[in-house]
Amino acid sequence: MFERHKANPIITPRDVAPSQPNFEVVGAFNAGVIRVEQETLLLLRVAERLRERDPHAILSPRYNAEGQLEIKRINRDDPNYDTSDTRYATDRRTGQIALTSISHIRLARSHDGVQFDVDAHPFLQAQGRFETFGVEDARAVQLEDGCYINYSAVSAYGIATGLAKTTDFRAVERLGVIFPPANRDVVIFPEKIRGLYWCYHRPMPDGFGGYHIWSATSPDLIHWGDHQVVLQASANGWEAGRVGGGAPPLRTEHGWLSIYHAADQHNRYCLGAFLTPLDDPNRIIARSKTPILAPEMAYETEGFFGNVVFSCGALLLGDQVRVYYGASDESIALVDFTLSGLLAQLDAP
């Protein structure tokens, strides 16, 4: 049904130049994807940290609202902080986290969809007070008047969803926050349905409820409403921790095919799939009861944060579903499914 590419991982941190001399790249992963003419473009999340090493402290980079880099130093033996996670330190008193890296979006270009040249400079970088901790996990769709890119905007206010637009992949127009904190994993449909734009999104409630996939509609891509729960996390198993959007839905003759991610209670991330009618993205007609892709290879089980496969983009090329996915929050890998084989794995909900 599927085949991991023999060149995996196809992009690693070694393939990406740091954005400034005092940084080193620790992750190139979770890429949105879009085809422009004969070229495949990846919108890579590039995570960087300071080259400076301190065995006794965690150094947390962030930008202020004026775009200047600042460093927060946290002693590893400070009892007020939990420093056990490689990605961040958590303030035990407030629950606030300090990231050990900061991310931006970088373009990578390819003529065969496998061998990529990564641009030397960021395409979308932190800007303003809602992005001071970085921008992450871009998804891209081509609509009538350009390519729309949504991404996670991270700051002391929380994780919001920002939207940007480009027509040439040189200039970028920021359109602002479309979902306030805490919300992420937004995937926008590549066409209007019943006269409206649609998306899936994933609110992150605190104390009540679970991490489920919701839908919303919009007349203009900015104002979203008519929110509905589409797919719920399960009580146990591979979807017990959370479910969330992955690649923007793919239009097939059988319906909208959505590749999504799920995590269990041990933060092991897998990919799943579900199918909805073309005229009703709220109604699941078939779904995977087991993962369509799980972390098994060394580059998926070991890395910056192991046991993770996570997709932000996929292409439908005839009977081939080409899925680009982040592996262990460190690199980009590629897996090819046959559409017929993937659909055959889906069962009635």
Side-chain angles (χ1 to χ4, degrees):
M1 185 191 72
F2 70 88
E3 182 178 3
R4 290 175 172 88
H5 201 278
K6 61 184 180 181
N8 277 350
I10 59 173
I11 300 177
T12 73
R14 295 186 298 275
D15 301 315
V16 183
S19 65
Q20 50 187 294
N22 60 332
F23 276 169
E24 63 178 354
V25 175
V26 294
F29 59 112
N30 293 5
V33 62
I34 195 161
R35 289 279 293 173
V36 178
E37 297 177 349
Q38 301 303 311
E39 199 171 40
T40 300
L41 298 182
L42 293 183
L43 291 97
L44 284 173
R45 173 180 171 184
V46 175
E48 299 175 299
R49 67 184 178 195
L50 289 158
R51 288 188 184 276
E52 178 187 351
R53 301 260 63 84
D54 187 336
H56 305 296
I58 283 176
L59 304 177
S60 177
R62 73 274 309 276
Y63 291 97
N64 61 29
E66 288 72 44
Q68 298 167 322
L69 184 67
E70 299 177 340
I71 307 300
K72 180 179 178 67
R73 177 190 168 93
I74 300 169
N75 290 330
R76 292 183 182 274
D77 58 359
D78 188 333
N80 292 319
Y81 284 89
D82 177 359
T83 60
S84 60
D85 195 303
T86 58
R87 300 171 297 175
Y88 50 77
T90 304
D91 190 325
R92 301 182 195 273
R93 300 160 296 183
T94 64
Q96 295 292 307
I97 65 174
L99 297 172
T100 58
S101 63
I102 191 163
S103 295
H104 65 265
I105 307 302
R106 189 88 62 98
L107 286 178
R109 307 167 188 271
S110 174
H111 289 291
D112 64 4
V114 178
Q115 295 179 312
F116 284 87
D117 294 320
V118 182
D119 283 4
H121 304 289
F123 174 68
L124 194 66
Q125 197 165 17
Q127 177 178 302
R129 59 178 179 156
F130 300 129
E131 300 178 1
T132 52
F133 296 171
V135 293
E136 307 174 352
D137 299 354
R139 277 93 170 179
V141 290
Q142 184 69 43
L143 294 171
E144 306 94 339
D145 58 342
C147 176
Y148 286 83
I149 302 161
N150 64 268
Y151 58 91
S152 292
V154 189
S155 73
Y157 293 99
I159 301 174
T161 298
L163 185 66
K165 175 187 173 184
T166 183
T167 57
D168 57 10
F169 286 92
R170 290 189 293 271
V172 182
E173 177 188 5
R174 274 180 164 84
L175 302 175
V177 170
I178 58 173
F179 288 96
N183 201 310
R184 68 192 317 175
D185 297 325
V186 171
V187 292
I188 296 172
F189 282 69
E191 63 184 62
K192 286 183 176 180
I193 302 168
R194 303 200 301 269
L196 293 170
Y197 297 104
W198 285 69
C199 80
Y200 293 138
H201 63 103
R202 210 278 304 286
M204 297 182 288
D206 184 13
F208 292 92
Y211 286 17
H212 312 312
I213 295 175
W214 292 61
S215 70
T217 62
S218 172
D220 58 6
L221 294 168
I222 304 299
H223 305 91
W224 294 89
D226 191 22
H227 302 274
Q228 306 287 334
V229 176
V230 177
L231 181 67
Q232 297 186 56
S234 62
N236 49 57
W238 66 287
E239 297 176 313
R242 67 199 64 196
V243 293
L250 301 172
R251 193 186 212 279
T252 78
E253 62 179 339
H254 306 281
W256 290 108
L257 176 64
S258 291
I259 309 295
Y260 69 98
H261 73 265
D264 63 16
Q265 294 174 338
H266 303 287
N267 284 323
R268 179 177 182 260
Y269 281 76
C270 300
L271 297 183
F274 64 84
L275 194 68
T276 65
L278 293 176
D279 63 350
D280 187 5
N282 285 331
R283 183 166 64 89
I284 294 177
I285 54 179
R287 61 170 295 191
S288 53
K289 296 298 178 66
T290 58
I292 62 169
L293 188 72
E296 297 171 342
M297 308 300 289
Y299 54 83
E300 300 165 345
T301 61
E302 303 168 12
F304 189 74
F305 190 74
N307 283 320
V308 172
V309 294
F310 188 104
S311 179
C312 291
L315 299 172
L316 181 59
L317 307 170
D319 189 51
Q320 181 187 64
V321 180
R322 173 156 277 195
V323 179
Y324 294 89
Y325 65 96
S328 293
D329 277 9
E330 185 171 308
S331 59
I332 284 288
L334 172 62
V335 60
D336 289 324
F337 296 85
T338 63
L339 176 61
S340 54
L342 186 53
L343 292 174
Q345 191 177 337
L346 307 185
D347 299 314

